[in-house]
Amino acid sequence: MDLNKLKDVNVLLVEDEYELSSSLKSAIGEYFYSFTLASNGIDGLKEFENNKVDLVITDINMPNMNGLELVKKIRAEDKYVDIPIIMVTTEGGKAEVITALKAGVNNYIVKPFSADILKEKLDGVIKK
């Protein structure tokens, strides 16, 4: 799949660390033009409900509502079952990955990661 054809995909990026949020946006900005940013799960859920979202990239550890809770709330609605969600975190243990996948995450990226790994994960979840 040519990710350069995905300029019309609306991405919700939920990350509480500004530097990582900025670097993620820069890393995937060559593929996607439309970003909505949120710094925690509560704001992320509001943005998700109020905007057209085609892809969610979320951190796991955030204040107010963590990424797993956000994923579970999104996946609780049948109409959102096909929206791809990628979890980004420093927690790369087998138990954490299994928990995230059971919550409804489509893919998982352990920090730190390269642009190539990010592209590979995006390619694995975007169906266009």
Side-chain angles (χ1 to χ4, degrees):
M1 173 191 337
D2 182 4
L3 290 176
N4 289 316
K5 296 179 180 176
L6 301 176
K7 299 292 187 182
D8 61 335
V9 172
N10 298 304
V11 179
L12 172 60
L13 181 55
V14 187
E15 170 61 61
D16 63 322
E17 293 180 36
Y18 176 77
E19 284 183 25
L20 183 57
S21 179
S22 293
S23 54
L24 271 170
K25 187 176 175 187
S26 294
I28 61 177
E30 70 181 281
Y31 308 117
F32 309 108
Y33 283 133
S34 179
F35 290 91
T36 303
L37 302 175
S39 61
N40 62 62
I42 291 173
D43 291 343
L45 187 59
K46 286 178 190 171
E47 293 294 342
F48 183 85
E49 292 170 341
N50 293 320
N51 294 287
K52 179 185 180 294
V53 175
D54 301 306
L55 167 67
V56 177
I57 300 174
T58 184
D59 189 11
I60 195 169
N61 293 317
M62 296 179 293
N64 303 321
M65 177 192 297
N66 69 38
L68 286 174
E69 293 169 316
L70 172 63
V71 170
K72 289 176 184 176
K73 289 197 179 282
I74 291 171
R75 293 296 190 225
E77 301 269 344
D78 287 339
K79 62 185 175 183
Y80 301 134
V81 72
D82 292 329
I83 293 177
I85 301 174
I86 297 176
M87 181 77 61
V88 179
T89 185
T90 57
E91 298 178 24
K94 187 175 181 179
E96 289 83 6
V97 172
I98 290 170
T99 300
L101 292 172
K102 284 183 178 179
V105 169
N106 298 88
N107 222 320
Y108 199 92
I109 302 175
V110 178
K111 302 175 198 174
F113 54 89
S114 68
D116 288 339
I117 288 175
L118 179 59
K119 182 179 184 227
E120 176 186 312
K121 300 294 184 171
L122 290 169
D123 192 34
V125 299
I126 298 290
K127 295 167 180 62
K128 272 211 170 189

